């Protein structure tokens, strides 16, 4: 078999790359048939015992990668990863899959010549494009942007089997100094710090941060194994079981069979629901768990370690640093932080890691903007076609979205560049982005299609508001209107509490009216603070999803804001939703009671008679059992609940509306017994002065 120049060079480079502990990023441009044939033949010339493949035409011995099974392969390695970009370029999958390539391995991208490629459609991004765009013919801007970034990187470029840009080889990294089973000094330091949480003062959590591949998850497993030898029982939680697999596998390899049960994975919602106890709680990928959940875990567990990825592919962790760590400053003074810098499987100057970080904007450091409240802040509107001419602003916007929202992913960057129905509205001062909002232009469906959605015969990709209005709210005619959905809104954390987010929403409302938008909408995992923010800005709730988000444990809410819409029609929708929610609270067993009070509305209640009020007065004085007057208390509460103190509102709503069990109620409000709680309610009722006939 004749050797090809490309694979002949790769054969020479592979051994050198292994010695330097780097991966080889290689891009080969050319004719599809020629490149594919050359690759299938040339793989026999290099070390490709474990071959992973993205795209079509994979050989039989290759592991075909897809988004569906990428989590199942976490922790595995390959000698060669081939990306056949002729069949599409899935940005999310490609960014994540680079982590599979081991030191001395090859990352090989097969693609058309750059000039031709950037003019072609990218069918791999079909799930990012809304109806009616056809991904097979749509020419987006992500590929041109990505190629511009690529050509600034340290990468071996081939064109028609000729090397046109060689790799700039980094220096040999010094050997790692660590004690087995740890691989780096950073990892050993992390394991020591985790064990110190167990032996040190209570209520002093540890936060471990790292980029991918630094061994933080393995450190959790190694430390848990050491603690198991001391008969300590450790629990680990994470956004998904797969996210905890690395820690669990290291633990399993290090402990004796009889100690295997000393580390258990428990989903965080179950931890909170069942009030699980453990000597130590480990939380992996903590940035993908919402702050309210983390705060509850801190309250429940006195010894806890949080580990998170700072520049991950499943959502970045930079917002976690600012939001949650502020909570630790207040509630857990003396908490510790460790950052793992040294890579485990390859050296710090690994060219593939640098390529992935920079081409997908995963390593952008967003500097705190210099904001002057006395100077005018301007706004700008960007769409997909604008970003190639404004790369600096794009980097600021994507960094800000990553900082502010735990679920921001590489596919969101691809959407900004490829989806012509997305708008980004920025608030800027002195060429600095202070805040931004991501808007999806939706609706405008034909009447026939809107009816099909209403009857459940069609789902329309990229039109969440129209789908909700037509199907869930039975208003198909509204799906025919032009709608704007606020997908994300972000203000730099150091500039929050200065009304900049509200200013952005005011700008959006003005622009929407100018563009003949029927109404604005938004959908998000709801909590009390977010609900108040949107209500303050004139948005009303019209739907609450029954299931909770796996990552946030929050219900998804849909809220609307009238532009050219009939305000009375939207108000009627809100009232209908509030009354329906009150009647169906049994379908929301975990819904926060404060949200129940903010969203639900009972039907109008008749005033109690004098005799009935006297019964409640006797209950409040401790002279009537609760069971005898519960129906009267419920009727009275439905009429007067907004006049009561916040504490009494919460207690009675949980008791009468949500019908929580007594064990739930005692945990929720910190009472020792039902008798003590009812006595407290009685005292508050007496102090309220409302157990009197209506004037």
């Amino acid at each position: 078999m004749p050797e090809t120049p490309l694979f002949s060079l790769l054969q020479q480079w592979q051994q050198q790359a292994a010695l330097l502990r780097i991966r080889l990023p290689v891009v080969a441009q050319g004719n599809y048939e020629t490149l594919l044939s050359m690759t299938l033949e040339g793989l026999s010339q290099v070390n490709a015992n474990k071959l992973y493949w993205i795209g079509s035409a994979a050989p039989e011995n290759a592991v075909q990668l897809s988004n569906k099974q990428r989590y199942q392969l976490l922790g595995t390695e390959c000698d060669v990863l081939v990306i056949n970009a002729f069949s599409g370029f899935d940005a999310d999958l490609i960014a994540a899959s680079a982590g599979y390539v081991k030191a001395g391995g090859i990352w090989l991208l097969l693609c058309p010549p750059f000039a031709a490629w950037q003019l072609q459609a990218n069918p791999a991004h079909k799930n990012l494009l809304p109806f009616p765009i056809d991904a097979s013919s749509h020419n987006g801007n992500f590929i041109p942007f990505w190629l511009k970034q690529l050509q600034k990187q340290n990468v071996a470029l081939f064109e028609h089997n000729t090397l046109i840009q060689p790799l700039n080889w980094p220096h040999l990294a010094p050997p790692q100094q660590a004690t087995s089973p740890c691989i780096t000094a950073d990892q050993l330091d992390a394991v020591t710090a985790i064990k110190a949480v167990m032996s040190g003062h209570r209520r002093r959590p540890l936060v471990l941060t790292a980029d991918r591949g630094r061994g933080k998850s393995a450190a959790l497993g190694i430390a848990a194994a050491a603690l198991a030898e001391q008969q300590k029982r450790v629990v680990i939680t994470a956004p998904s079981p797969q996210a905890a697999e690395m820690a669990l596998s290291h633990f399993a390899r290090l402990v004796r069979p009889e100690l295997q049960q000393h580390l258990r994975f428990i989903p965080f919602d179950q931890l909170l629901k069942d009030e699980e106890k453990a000597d130590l709680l480990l939380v992996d990928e903590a940035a993908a768990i919402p702050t309210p959940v983390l705060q509850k875990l801190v309250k429940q567990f006195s010894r806890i370690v949080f580990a998170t990825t700072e520049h991950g592919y499943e959502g970045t962790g930079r917002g976690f640093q600012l939001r949650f760590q502020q909570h630790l400053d207040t509630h857990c003074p003396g908490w510790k932080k460790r950052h793992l810098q040294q890579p485990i499987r390859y050296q710090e100057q690994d060219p593939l890691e640098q390529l992935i970080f920079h081409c997908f904007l995963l390593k952008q450091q967003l500097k705190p903007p210099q904001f002057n409240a006395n100077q005018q802040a301007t706004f700008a509107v960007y769409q997909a076609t604008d970003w190639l001419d404004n790369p600096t602003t794009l980097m600021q916007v994507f960094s800000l979205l990553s900082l502010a929202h735990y679920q921001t992913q590489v596919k969101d960057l691809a959407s900004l560049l490829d989806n012509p129905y997305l708008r980004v509205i920025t608030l800027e001062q002195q060429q600095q982005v202070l805040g931004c909002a991501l808007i999806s232009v939706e609706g405008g469906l034909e009447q026939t299609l809107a009816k099909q959605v209403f009857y459940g015969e069609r789902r329309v990709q990229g039109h969440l508001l129209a789908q909700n209005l037509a199907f869930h709210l039975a208003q198909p005619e509204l799906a025919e209107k032009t709608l704007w959905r606020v997908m994300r809104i972000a203000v730099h954390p150091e500039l929050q509490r200065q009304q900049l987010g509200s200013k952005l929403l005011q700008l959006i409302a003005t622009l929407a009216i100018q563009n003949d938008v029927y109404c604005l909408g938004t959908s998000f995992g709801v909590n009390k603070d977010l609900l108040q923010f949107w209500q303050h800005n004139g948005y009303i709730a019209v739907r609450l999803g029954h299931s909770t988000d796996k990552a946030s444990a929050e219900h998804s809410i849909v809220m609307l804001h009238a532009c050219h819409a009939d305000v009375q029609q939207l108000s009627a929708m809100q009232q209908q939703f509030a009354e329906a929610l009150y009647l169906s609270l049994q379908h929301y067993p975990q819904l926060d009671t404060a949200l129940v009070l903010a969203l639900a509305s009972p039907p109008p209640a008749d005033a109690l008679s004098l005799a009935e009020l006297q019964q409640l007065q006797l209950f409040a004085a401790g002279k009537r059992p609760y069971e005898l007057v519960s129906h009267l208390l419920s009727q009275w509460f439905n009429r007067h609940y907004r006049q009561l103190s916040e504490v009494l509102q919460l207690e009675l709503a949980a008791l009468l509306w949500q019908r929580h069990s007594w064990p739930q109620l005692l945990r929720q409000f910190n009472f020792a017994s039902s008798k003590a709680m009812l006595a407290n309610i009685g005292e508050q009722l007496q102090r309220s002065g409302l157990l009197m006939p209506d004037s």
Side-chain angles (χ1 to χ4, degrees), residues 335-371:
W335 68 276
K336 305 293 184 183
K337 181 176 180 178
R338 292 287 186 276
H339 181 71
L340 283 74
Q341 183 66 38
Q342 298 168 298
I344 293 286
R345 295 184 293 126
Y346 36 82
Q347 65 150 290
E348 287 187 43
Q349 299 306 314
D350 173 60
L352 178 57
E353 183 176 66
Q354 299 305 313
L355 182 154
I356 297 298
F357 276 161
H358 292 291
C359 287
F360 295 103
L361 304 189
L362 292 171
K363 198 67 172 178
Q364 295 302 318
Q365 299 298 329
L366 186 65
K367 297 178 181 177
Q370 302 298 312
F371 173 58

Side-chain angles (χ1 to χ4, degrees), residues 229-292:
E229 294 292 341
Q230 302 171 22
Q231 299 302 312
K232 302 297 183 185
R233 296 197 171 271
V234 183
V235 166
I236 185 168
T237 193
S240 67
Q242 293 90 344
E245 189 57 41
M246 181 67 71
L248 290 167
S249 63
H250 273 76
F251 175 85
R253 286 200 298 268
L254 292 170
V255 299
R256 292 172 280 131
E258 61 268 26
L259 297 177
Q260 291 289 336
Q261 295 304 312
H262 280 61
L263 177 64
R264 294 181 299 143
F265 173 81
I266 301 177
F268 59 78
D269 55 346
Q270 185 180 330
L271 278 178
L272 296 175
K273 180 182 176 183
D274 298 341
E275 291 198 323
E276 292 277 350
K277 300 297 181 186
D279 295 314
L280 177 68
L281 174 66
L282 306 175
V283 184
D284 206 355
E285 298 301 351
I289 299 175
T291 302

Side-chain angles (χ1 to χ4, degrees), residues 137-153:
S137 59
H138 175 67
N139 188 10
N141 296 285
F142 178 77
I143 296 299
F145 171 82
W146 193 83
L147 288 176
K148 277 189 176 182
Q149 305 306 309
L150 177 70
Q151 291 172 81
K152 302 174 188 175
Q153 305 308 312

Side-chain angles (χ1 to χ4, degrees), residues 16-298:
Q16 185 179 356
L19 289 172
L20 294 176
R21 294 180 56 249
I22 66 169
R23 287 91 55 81
L24 294 169
V26 181
V27 177
Q29 315 167 54
N31 172 269
Y32 173 59
E33 287 78 11
T34 303
L35 278 179
L36 182 62
S37 174
M38 178 185 69
T39 300
L40 294 175
E41 292 179 7
L43 284 170
S44 63
Q45 300 174 31
V46 298
N47 176 16
N49 294 328
K50 194 71 175 289
L51 173 64
Y52 285 5
W53 191 285
I54 295 175
S56 62
E60 289 184 1
N61 64 324
V63 175
Q64 181 96 36
L65 296 186
S66 69
N67 274 308
K68 289 183 179 178
Q69 40 72 290
R70 82 184 202 209
Y71 284 108
Q72 298 168 6
L73 294 171
L74 281 174
T76 67
E77 291 185 324
C78 65
D79 301 296
V80 178
L81 170 62
V82 176
I83 301 162
N84 179 4
F86 286 92
S87 57
F89 189 87
D90 185 329
D92 227 27
L93 178 59
I94 289 164
S97 62
Y100 299 132
V101 183
K102 69 180 185 181
I106 299 167
W107 182 89
L108 176 59
L109 173 66
L110 309 178
C111 64
F114 292 170
W117 189 18
Q118 61 187 351
L119 299 176
Q120 295 177 6
N122 183 15
H125 283 178
K126 64 180 180 180
N127 291 333
L128 306 182
L129 301 175
F131 174 87
I133 296 176
D134 182 357
S136 65
S137 59
H138 175 67
N139 188 10
N141 296 285
F142 178 77
I143 296 299
F145 171 82
W146 193 83
L147 288 176
K148 277 189 176 182
Q149 305 306 309
L150 177 70
Q151 291 172 81
K152 302 174 188 175
Q153 305 308 312
N154 182 17
V155 56
L157 294 179
F158 287 81
E159 189 169 1
H160 303 297
N161 208 16
T162 301
L163 180 64
I164 60 172
Q165 176 181 302
L167 191 72
N168 182 18
W169 293 87
H171 296 295
L172 178 65
Q176 304 281 7
Q177 300 292 328
T179 304
S180 181
C182 295
I183 297 175
T184 66
D186 274 358
Q187 192 179 53
L188 179 60
D189 181 51
V191 170
T192 303
I194 295 168
K195 291 191 287 186
V197 173
M198 193 65 254
S199 59
H201 292 285
R202 298 168 71 252
R203 301 288 170 197
R204 292 191 179 176
L206 170 67
V207 175
L208 294 178
T209 61
D211 287 336
R212 280 267 178 256
R214 268 59 182 175
K216 64 167 178 54
S217 296
L220 298 178
I222 294 169
L227 293 171
E229 294 292 341
Q230 302 171 22
Q231 299 302 312
K232 302 297 183 185
R233 296 197 171 271
V234 183
V235 166
I236 185 168
T237 193
S240 67
Q242 293 90 344
E245 189 57 41
M246 181 67 71
L248 290 167
S249 63
H250 273 76
F251 175 85
R253 286 200 298 268
L254 292 170
V255 299
R256 292 172 280 131
E258 61 268 26
L259 297 177
Q260 291 289 336
Q261 295 304 312
H262 280 61
L263 177 64
R264 294 181 299 143
F265 173 81
I266 301 177
F268 59 78
D269 55 346
Q270 185 180 330
L271 278 178
L272 296 175
K273 180 182 176 183
D274 298 341
E275 291 198 323
E276 292 277 350
K277 300 297 181 186
D279 295 314
L280 177 68
L281 174 66
L282 306 175
V283 184
D284 206 355
E285 298 301 351
I289 299 175
T291 302
V293 173
L294 299 177
Q295 291 170 349
K296 291 176 183 176
L297 292 174
V298 167

